[in-house]
Amino acid sequence: MATVIIPTPLRKFTQNASKLQVEAATVGEALQHLAAEYPDLKKHLLDEQGQIRSFLNLFVGEHDVRDLQWADTPLPADATLSIVPAIAGGISDWANVTFSKEELARYNRHIIIPEFGIEGQQKLKAARVLVIGSGGLGSPLLLYLAAAGVGTIGIVDFDRVDASNLQRQVLFGVDAVGQPKVDAARQRLEALNPHIRIVTYDALLNSRNALDIIRDYDVVADGTDNFPTRYLVNDACVLLGKPNVYASIFQFEGQVSVFNYRHPNGELGPNYRDLYPTPPPPGLVPSCAEGGVLGVLPGIIGSMQACEVIKVITGVGEPLSGRLFFFDALSFETRIFRVRRRADNPLTGEQPTITQLIDYEQFCGVKVVERPVREITVQELLQWQAEGRVFQLVDVREPHEYEAANIGAELIPLGTVSENAHRFSREAPVVVHCRSGVRSAKAIRELEERFGFDNLFNLKGGILAYLEEVKPELAG
Amino acid sequence: MIHFSPNVYERMLADARQTFPDECCGFLFGTETADGDRYLTDILVVDNAKEGDKRRRFEIAPQDYLAAERYADERGLTLLGVYHSHPNHPAIPSEHDRQAAQPFFSYVIVSVLDGYIGRVRSWRLNDDGQFEEEAIPPVPAKLVWPQ
C-alpha cells in the first residue's frame, strides 16, 4: 500500500490524519479512492471534470507528477505520494489605479452604484480589452467600452470604411469613408474619452499573429462576421486562458455568450466549440455582406456584449458563461439556452487534440469552395465591346437593384440561375456581374459545377467598378 | 485571534522590509487552542519563487512547502499559515490571493509603503471560499537582553 501525505490545510477533511494508506496502482486511482472515502476532501483534489485541481501539486517521492505521467503515474506499494497545495498570491493589477478630478467627475454615475463603486472603476481602468472587428458589433462595443473608461482598448480590423457600413456601424461618419477602420475608430474614441489608451492593429487576424496580439489583453470581445475567425479567436483564447465575450448577428437575429470564463470558484465555463463543435457547411450561413442585417440589431447585440465585457472585468453580477442568449428582433422574443462543456471538445475535453492554432480557412472548408473563377476587368470588357466581339452580359443582382442602375445586361437573379441555366450561352463567352463580384462568382461556380459551363467570366469589381470607370458621377 | 510571539513578528517584518520592492513570503508555525486561538511561535522565511514580476506576485516552491511540513512535524508544531507582503499596497487580499488560498491557513499580509511597514492583517477562508479577517492583538515589545 502506498502512503499519501495530507497537507495541514486539508487534514480537517481527513479527521486530522496526516498520513493515509491507499491501495492504488496510479496517482489518479489514489486520488479517486481518497475522494470516495473523504467526500469533503474531493473538491480540494479534483475539479468538476474529475481532473487534478490547478492549484495542487503532486509529488511521488521527490518527483513532480507533471514531469512523470500526471494521473497515470504508477504508484509502487512502497511509494509516498505528497499532496502539496500551491502557495501563491500577490497584488491585484487594479489596486494602485488612481483617478484625476476629471475622471472622477466623468465616471461618477458608475462610482455611486454601491455594487460597482470606485473598485469597479479601478478594475475598468486597469483592464486591457481586445475588440476584434470594428464593424456592426464593434461599433457600439467600442463606444461603450471607451465611454465606460476601459483603460486599454485594442482594435483589430483590416478593412476600410465603406458607404454601405454607415447603416449600422455608428462609430463612423461620412467623412471616414475610405479611411482604414482602425484609424477612424481611434479618432472617434479618443474624442469620446481622452483618458484611455487605444492600440490599433490594421491587420487580418490569422493563425500566425493571433497569439501574439491576444496575449497582451485580459478580455477578448469577438465581433467578427465569419466562421474561420470565430474559431480562431476561440482557440487562441482557450490556449491563452482569456475569457472570450462572443456575439453574432444575422438579418434579424442575434446571439451573445461568454466563453472560456473561469468562475471565481475555479470552474471553467464552456467555449465556442462546446456550442458549435463543427462549422456549418461553407456558404450555408451567409455573412452580413451577403445576407444583409437590420442596422439597429448589431446596436442592440453589441451593447449587450459591452455589458458582459464590463461584468467580466469588474466581477459585478453573473456573466453569461454556460448560457447562450438569443434574440429575434422580428418577434421580439428572447431565449437563454444552457451550454455545457463537452467531453469531446478538442481543446478542453477529456482528450484534447488541438494544442496549437490550426488552418481555420481549411477547417471551415472556405478554401475548398473559394476556388478561383475566370475574371475579366472593366477595361477588358470595354475593349470587347469596342472590338464588337460577340458575348452575352448577365446581371445576377435583384430586380430592384437592376431598376436603380444597370448596364444593359440580361437580368437573372442569383437565386434563379440554375432554373435559367438554358438562358446562358454555351458557345459565346458570358460575362456575369453583380454589385461587387461576390454573387456573380457564386453564380458562375453553381453553373460550372451543376451544368459544366466553361465559358463564363466574372466581371471584376462588378457594376461598381464599371460605373467608376465609365460614369464616375453615378458611382458614388 | 492570532497571536504573534515578538520574535516571529520581528523576523517577518524584517523580511518584508528587506525584500521591498519585491514581495516576500514565508511560513508561520505554532499551536491552536481548543477555542480556535492561534499562537505563532516559529517562522520560516522562504524565497519568492515567482518567475517574472516579484513586485506584484509571490509563489512558494513545492519543495519549500514540503520542507515546511517536515519542519512542523519535527518540532511538534502546526503549520498554521503563510505570510507575504504587499509593497505599496494595503494589506487586503487580492483576487490572486483568494484564488490560490487554502482552507485552514491564516494568510498574514504585511503592507510595506516605500520601504516602511504599514498595516499587518490576517485573513482566513470561510466555508464559502471568502476571506474573513482575524484579529491580531498588539504584539508585546521584543525583550532585548543587555549585552
Side-chain angles (χ1 to χ4, degrees):
Chain A
M1 292 228 276
T3 306
V4 183
I5 310 258
I6 307 294
T8 310
L10 301 185
R11 284 178 200 161
K12 69 170 178 178
F13 308 115
T14 61
Q15 284 107 44
N16 279 323
S18 60
K19 285 178 187 164
L20 295 168
Q21 302 294 316
V22 178
E23 188 75 66
T26 64
V27 168
E29 237 180 271
L31 295 182
Q32 298 292 352
H33 281 309
L34 287 178
E37 200 167 336
Y38 302 100
D40 293 336
L41 188 62
K42 188 179 175 184
K43 68 170 181 173
H44 296 281
L45 300 179
L46 305 171
D47 65 18
E48 52 294 349
Q49 273 71 45
Q51 305 290 312
I52 299 169
R53 282 216 88 91
S54 53
F55 285 105
L56 205 63
N57 301 300
L58 293 164
F59 281 70
V60 173
E62 299 291 306
H63 301 286
D64 193 331
V65 299
R66 282 193 187 86
D67 304 329
L68 302 169
Q69 294 152 24
W70 267 106
D72 296 331
T73 307
L75 210 53
D78 58 344
T80 303
L81 171 63
S82 303
I83 299 174
V84 184
I87 307 291
I91 302 172
S92 301
D93 298 324
W94 52 267
N96 292 330
V97 168
T98 55
F99 295 102
S100 66
K101 229 170 83 185
E102 292 76 26
E103 286 175 286
L104 286 174
R106 177 182 183 106
Y107 303 130
N108 173 273
R109 300 299 189 277
H110 271 163
I111 294 167
I112 61 175
I113 308 175
E115 293 85 352
F116 203 91
I118 191 88
E119 189 179 310
Q121 199 61 45
Q122 283 176 306
K123 288 176 181 172
L124 285 186
K125 189 172 174 181
R128 296 159 298 178
V129 177
L130 183 69
V131 175
I132 301 170
S134 58
L137 292 166
S139 285
L141 190 53
L142 285 164
L143 287 167
Y144 276 112
L145 294 182
V150 170
T152 304
I153 300 178
I155 312 170
V156 188
D157 207 313
F158 67 96
D159 220 352
R160 282 168 184 272
V161 181
D162 183 85
S164 70
N165 298 151
L166 304 184
Q167 156 258 24
R168 64 195 179 283
Q169 301 182 11
V170 294
L171 193 55
F172 311 118
V174 176
D175 51 347
V177 171
Q179 275 188 50
K181 282 189 174 175
V182 289
D183 293 347
R186 173 198 288 279
Q187 270 178 27
R188 174 81 178 88
L189 298 175
E190 283 177 349
L192 178 63
N193 188 346
H195 306 292
I196 60 172
R197 196 164 71 95
I198 307 288
V199 183
T200 56
Y201 306 87
D202 190 356
L204 183 69
L205 196 76
N206 58 41
S207 298
R208 287 180 302 285
N209 62 18
L211 293 176
D212 284 334
I213 293 177
I214 294 175
R215 201 185 306 277
D216 291 337
Y217 293 86
D218 308 313
V219 181
V220 173
D222 178 5
T224 56
D225 61 352
N226 64 82
F227 290 95
T229 315
R230 237 170 250 159
Y231 279 97
L232 165 66
V233 171
N234 180 71
D235 291 6
C237 285
V238 172
L239 293 175
L240 292 169
K242 313 281 184 187
N244 171 18
V245 181
Y246 152 87
S248 74
I249 43 166
F250 175 63
Q251 291 183 341
F252 298 99
E253 295 165 9
Q255 305 179 350
V256 188
S257 191
V258 175
F259 294 130
N260 200 45
Y261 173 75
R262 197 172 280 284
H263 194 270
N265 68 13
E267 248 175 80
L268 182 68
N271 61 64
Y272 190 68
R273 284 182 185 267
D274 292 304
L275 180 62
Y276 299 113
T278 50
L284 183 72
V285 183
S287 69
C288 290
E290 296 159 2
V293 62
L294 189 68
V296 67
L297 184 72
I300 297 168
I301 299 297
S303 302
M304 291 182 168
Q305 201 180 2
C307 181
E308 288 308 301
V309 171
I310 288 171
K311 282 164 63 186
V312 168
I313 295 170
T314 57
V316 171
E318 231 3 87
L320 199 62
S321 170
R323 293 176 293 164
L324 176 77
F325 173 85
F326 177 90
F327 175 62
D328 179 355
L330 283 186
S331 60
F332 218 90
E333 271 180 344
T334 63
R335 270 184 230 158
I336 291 182
F337 302 97
R338 286 241 152 253
V339 185
R340 286 177 212 283
R341 284 180 57 177
R342 298 171 60 106
D344 62 355
N345 185 310
L347 285 161
T348 51
E350 281 161 10
Q351 264 135 17
T353 50
I354 299 178
T355 53
Q356 56 185 16
L357 299 180
I358 58 172
D359 183 336
Y360 293 89
E361 301 273 328
Q362 193 180 22
F363 173 66
C364 296
V366 180
K367 266 186 187 164
V368 186
V369 76
E370 292 294 316
R371 64 191 170 72
V373 295
R374 273 185 293 176
E375 286 184 329
I376 176 172
T377 64
V378 172
Q379 283 79 12
E380 285 167 328
L381 178 72
L382 293 173
Q383 203 179 336
W384 282 14
Q385 283 174 330
E387 287 168 2
R389 272 180 78 162
V390 177
F391 67 95
Q392 187 187 6
L393 186 60
V394 177
D395 185 342
V396 295
R397 295 176 304 155
E398 299 304 309
H400 62 272
E401 294 177 274
Y402 187 86
E403 244 172 69
N406 71 72
I407 52 176
E410 272 176 68
L411 176 68
I412 308 177
L414 176 62
T416 66
V417 288
S418 278
E419 62 199 72
N420 285 302
H422 60 277
R423 289 173 56 194
F424 287 81
S425 166
R426 284 279 181 180
E427 283 133 30
V430 183
V431 176
V432 186
H433 85 81
C434 61
R435 181 171 168 275
S436 67
V438 176
R439 280 176 284 173
S440 45
K442 264 193 178 167
I444 291 174
R445 284 195 193 98
E446 190 176 324
L447 290 167
E448 286 178 348
E449 275 161 26
R450 297 180 70 169
F451 304 101
F453 281 88
D454 60 358
N455 56 334
L456 309 177
F457 293 82
N458 191 22
L459 180 63
K460 204 175 169 185
I463 193 172
L464 286 180
Y466 185 91
L467 293 177
E468 186 90 20
E469 184 73 29
V470 183
K471 294 179 181 163
E473 71 279 4
L474 282 179
Chain B
M1 295 251 263
I2 181 160
H3 305 260
F4 277 87
S5 82
N7 196 34
V8 169
Y9 199 65
E10 265 313 310
R11 284 178 60 193
M12 178 179 73
L13 299 192
D15 185 28
R17 239 181 254 119
Q18 281 158 16
T19 316
F20 184 88
D22 287 349
E23 292 196 11
C24 70
C25 49
F27 293 101
L28 300 165
F29 307 86
T31 49
E32 190 175 33
T33 63
D35 47 10
D37 270 1
R38 291 180 164 189
Y39 289 85
L40 301 176
T41 56
D42 209 342
I43 178 171
L44 211 54
V45 173
V46 300
D47 282 340
N48 181 353
K50 179 74 192 175
E51 285 177 20
D53 193 1
K54 294 185 188 185
R55 294 174 183 224
R56 313 185 69 86
R57 296 282 188 279
F58 84 97
E59 200 176 295
I60 292 180
Q63 289 77 7
D64 283 336
Y65 182 84
L66 287 171
E69 288 275 14
R70 277 198 300 273
Y71 186 92
D73 226 25
E74 286 159 15
R75 285 161 181 78
L77 297 171
T78 306
L79 178 52
L80 286 172
V82 176
Y83 73 87
H84 74 281
S85 61
H86 276 181
N88 287 333
H89 178 63
I92 298 170
S94 68
E95 188 53 27
H96 304 289
D97 292 330
R98 204 189 60 75
Q99 278 174 3
Q102 300 297 323
F104 178 79
F105 276 167
S106 292
Y107 284 85
V108 176
I109 304 178
V110 182
S111 170
V112 190
L113 307 166
D114 290 334
Y116 295 95
I117 299 298
R119 282 189 74 179
V120 180
R121 302 172 77 171
S122 183
W123 308 84
R124 215 193 304 181
L125 280 190
N126 63 18
D127 291 339
D128 298 328
Q130 299 299 319
F131 267 122
E132 271 175 22
E133 186 165 10
E134 47 184 357
I136 304 177
V139 180
K142 195 178 164 186
L143 289 175
V144 181
W145 297 101
Q147 296 286 318

